[in-house]
Each structure stands twice: as structure tokens, then as C-alpha cells.
Amino acid sequence: MKKAVFLLMWLLAGKCGVMFGQPVVLNSNDKPLWHKIGEISLDFHENRDAIVVQSDEKFGSVKFIVTEAPVEMLDLEIFCEIEGLQTVRINANVQVPGESKPIDLNNGEWKLKRIVFVSNTEPSNRDKKGHVEIWGIKPKDVK
């Protein structure tokens, strides 16, 4: 029974493109402290992929970094525990390597639960998957 439940959850996570966050810190002496929230390889057969955030930390801004293949990023849907949903219209082709500008979260301090990427890929890159990392900055770390 345990094996069946595990297999079902593994299959559902793979279909939804869900990856779990990994705590990593990017630090520079003269820049704010960015924390890696998670990463995912986008499934270009789907146009919605999600990262489930496994952190109790609160963030004031997020940004994403794209590697491996260009991505046409349409929207980010950012879900949090109390504030609900913030949809951010991106509507940009992000080349490799590329990153977004910091995206300020409404009300400045969000305990993130999930981030959904709504995206497309360029027809010439259908055999590749775009790798996306999401980074966040805590309000207390802003200098």
C-alpha cells in the first residue's frame, strides 16, 4: 500500500512539474542577500509548472534566473499563506542566461507556498527544457 501511494504521488508531482525548494544563499558584500527558494526544469509540453516552497521564511521580493533554453515567460502566479495570490505579468522572452528584475511582493513580507510559471518555449527549442531558479530576498536583508 505504501509503495502504491508513493508511486501515485511521484507520478502526480512529475505531471504537475512540481519541484521542492532548496535553501541556498547567494551573498555579496555590496548587494542584498538572496536566498535560493527552488528550481525547476520547465516541461514545454505543459504551459504551467510549479515550485512548492518548503520554507517558513518570509520574502519581500523574488526574481527568477533562466538557464539551458530560452523561455517565453508569460506570468508568475505567487501564492502565499495569508496574503493569497499575486499574479505578475512578465510577457517577455528570457534568453539564456537571463534573469528577471526583482519582483516586489505586495505588502512586503510573504510566506511563500507555491510559485506557478506560465510559459511557452520557442519552436526551435522544443527538445530542450528551460531550467528556472527562483530566488527571494528577505525584507530585513535589503540594504
Side-chain angles (χ1 to χ4, degrees):
M1 179 67 179
K2 288 182 181 179
K3 287 182 180 179
V5 171
F6 175 76
L7 180 61
L8 178 61
M9 293 188 67
W10 181 76
L11 289 172
L12 287 173
K15 177 65 180 158
C16 297
V18 175
M19 297 296 283
F20 295 101
Q22 301 172 5
V24 177
V25 178
L26 179 65
N27 190 6
S28 173
N29 292 336
D30 60 342
K31 294 186 180 177
L33 188 63
W34 286 92
H35 302 267
K36 187 174 183 181
I37 296 171
E39 61 187 311
I40 190 169
S41 290
L42 298 181
D43 181 358
F44 291 135
H45 299 288
E46 302 287 331
N47 67 347
R48 296 174 64 86
D49 294 280
I51 291 176
V52 175
V53 179
Q54 300 291 318
S55 172
D56 288 332
E57 301 291 336
K58 291 185 178 181
F59 295 95
S61 300
V62 296
K63 69 178 178 178
F64 61 88
I65 298 172
V66 175
T67 61
E68 306 298 324
V71 174
E72 180 186 0
M73 191 67 68
L74 303 176
D75 296 311
L76 285 184
E77 295 172 356
I78 304 169
F79 294 85
C80 91
E81 186 172 83
I82 296 171
E83 290 80 1
L85 166 69
Q86 179 176 340
T87 300
V88 179
R89 185 82 177 142
I90 305 294
N91 202 25
N93 281 327
V94 183
Q95 298 303 311
V96 174
E99 78 178 57
S100 71
K101 295 179 182 176
I103 300 164
D104 292 331
L105 301 174
N106 295 341
N107 301 325
E109 289 191 36
W110 280 39
K111 185 176 174 187
L112 302 173
K113 288 296 170 195
R114 181 173 45 133
I115 299 172
V116 177
F117 300 91
V118 182
S119 62
N120 288 323
T121 187
E122 297 175 9
S124 62
N125 289 308
R126 293 237 183 250
D127 59 332
K128 298 180 184 177
K129 289 188 175 189
H131 185 82
V132 179
E133 296 177 354
I134 201 85
W135 292 80
I137 189 165
K138 299 175 187 177
K140 65 181 181 179
D141 290 337
V142 177
K143 294 180 181 180

